[in-house]
Each structure stands twice: as structure tokens, then as C-alpha cells.
Amino acid sequence: DFLRVGQHPRPVLIGALSQFLVMPLLAAALATILGLPAPLAVGLILVGCCPGGTASNVVALIARADVALSVVMTMVSTSLAVVLTPRFTEALASQYVPVDAWALLLKVLQVVVVPVTVGVLLKQGVPQLAQRMEPVMPPLAVVAIVLIVSSIVGSQRDVLLDQGIALVIACVLLHAGGFLLGWLIPRVLGEAAPTCRTISLEVGMQNSGLAVVLARTGFSNPLTALPGAISAVVHCIIGSALAGLWRRRDQMPTRP
């Protein structure tokens, strides 16, 4: 499957371009149209500038999309994000607050590149230890993300009650727009249905966990992390519902 994706890189290119054109611009437009306060606007833009999330790979499996393409697209967008996420955030969010692109670049390296490198070294150098750790790490990661999101939502309860409706609307529109345009662009370009589903899920589901970490470490205002926390919930709900609808549609008997 991976060899097949490598031999036909056009969908990967379409997905990467859609990822880093649709989501950042859509996030910036929504922040302006909805009049979000500066910290929330920056947080929403940061979500839009992040790469695709790994949850999209599981959702692609549920949706009967192209899982190999989903994994490759996540890998490619994450690699590009090391440079593009800081630069796009600086370009689109600097109107609200000063953005240090180099500091964000270092944070992305710390959050993305260093852990992956350590994981590869463990897998290759100490395979027995890696094998013992492997069953434990995925549920531990899920618990960690839930605790991070919960802590942010809990600590910003008053702001969420005051600005919550506008922020939730912004996140829903951002991800719904990502799913729609992520499906429409490859469809117009003549890609097959499984490819359209895959690109839709990759574009619509962001690495909100990365957005939260970058917001907490790269910006002084704690409110900047709130859109990432809300986004983490919103895109999983919409993506899972969409995958369920696609799967159910495939299971429906066709009329003769």
C-alpha cells in the first residue's frame, strides 16, 4: 500500500496543499468575521496552521478510506509543519500579537522531531524495551491529552462561559469547512471516492494537541490554548460522525 502511494504522489500533493492553504486561511477569516478576542483569534489561527492529526488515520480506517494514504499524508504534513506552522502563524496572527516564528520553530522541533527521533532510536536500538512499552503508550497518550484538554477548559471556565458560543461556532465552522473543502478539491480534480474521503479527513482533523502545546509554551496568554482544546473535541466528533455515515453508506444494498 505504501509503495502504491509512493508511485502515485498526486493525492499526497493535493492533500498537503489543501492542508496548508485551506485551514490557515479559513481560520484567519473566521477569527476576523466572528470578531474573536486577540488570544482566541491567535489560538484558532494556530490550530489552522498545524498539520493533520494522527486520529485521522483511525477515522480513515472506520470510513473505509485509503489508510496508507492517510498515514503518508499525516507524515508529510507533520514534516512540513516544522517550517510552515511557525511561518504561517507569524504571517496570519502577528496582527493580533507579536509572534516569534523562530521560538515556535524550536518548540515544534521539541514536540515533533525529538520524540519521533527518540522513538525510532528505541525501536531500532533497544527493540525489546520498545516492544514492552508499545502496548502502554497509546492509552497513556490518550489519558495525557484528555488531562491537558480538561485542565485548559477547567482553568478557563469563566472565559468559556462568556466567549464559549462564539469559540465553539468558530471551531465547528473551521473543521466543517476543512472536511468539505478537503473533499471537494480532490473531487473537482478527478480523484476517486476513497482518496476524496482520505484527504477530507486529513484536512479537517488537525493536530490540536500540538496547537495546545505551542500555545501554552509559545504565548504568554493562557487563553491562546483554549481554541486548541475545543478543537480537539470538535474535529473528533465531526470526523467520527462523517466516517460513520460513509461506512453506513457503503454497507447499504445497491438497487439493481
Side-chain angles (χ1 to χ4, degrees):
D1 285 341
F2 287 113
L3 288 173
R4 171 179 53 80
V5 172
Q7 291 169 354
H8 302 281
R10 186 171 180 262
V12 179
L13 180 61
I14 293 172
L17 289 174
S18 301
Q19 176 80 50
F20 286 108
L21 288 178
V22 169
M23 297 303 281
L25 295 176
L26 187 57
L30 287 171
T32 301
I33 293 170
L34 296 175
L36 295 179
L40 300 182
V42 173
L44 187 70
I45 291 171
L46 188 57
V47 170
C49 294
C50 280
T54 51
S56 61
N57 307 146
V58 180
V59 176
L61 178 64
I62 297 172
R64 293 184 173 176
D66 192 331
V67 180
L69 175 60
S70 177
V71 173
V72 171
M73 284 184 59
T74 301
M75 180 183 69
V76 169
S77 68
T78 302
S79 300
L80 293 173
V82 174
V83 175
L84 295 184
T85 294
R87 289 302 177 190
F88 281 7
T89 303
E90 180 185 36
L92 296 173
S94 58
Q95 60 177 313
Y96 298 101
V97 296
V99 178
D100 189 341
W102 287 109
L104 279 181
L105 175 61
L106 292 176
K107 293 298 179 184
V108 175
L109 290 173
Q110 292 172 8
V111 175
V112 176
V113 178
V114 173
V116 171
T117 303
V118 171
V120 171
L121 292 175
L122 279 175
K123 189 79 171 178
Q124 297 298 320
V126 196
Q128 293 181 345
L129 176 61
Q131 190 174 7
R132 291 174 187 167
M133 294 172 63
E134 196 167 351
V136 179
M137 297 311 293
L140 184 62
V142 171
V143 171
I145 289 293
V146 170
L147 290 175
I148 291 172
V149 170
S150 301
S151 69
I152 293 170
V153 172
S155 64
Q156 304 301 328
R157 176 180 176 274
D158 293 338
V159 176
L160 189 58
L161 290 175
D162 184 42
Q163 301 284 342
I165 295 178
L167 182 56
V168 170
I169 290 174
C171 289
V172 169
L173 290 176
L174 173 63
H175 292 292
F179 286 119
L180 176 61
L181 293 173
W183 178 86
L184 189 60
I185 291 171
R187 183 73 173 181
V188 170
L189 294 175
E191 295 294 335
T195 300
C196 295
R197 293 181 184 184
T198 306
I199 295 176
S200 171
L201 295 173
E202 285 297 317
V203 174
M205 301 188 73
Q206 297 294 88
N207 191 337
S208 302
L210 176 60
V212 167
V213 173
L214 293 179
R216 296 189 72 172
T217 57
F219 297 91
S220 58
N221 195 320
L223 294 181
T224 309
L226 193 54
I230 302 300
S231 166
V233 179
V234 168
H235 76 70
C236 282
I237 292 175
I238 298 177
S240 299
L242 192 58
L245 288 173
W246 277 332
R247 186 179 184 90
R248 186 173 181 179
R249 182 179 177 183
D250 288 345
Q251 291 175 340
M252 291 177 63
T254 56
R255 295 181 178 180

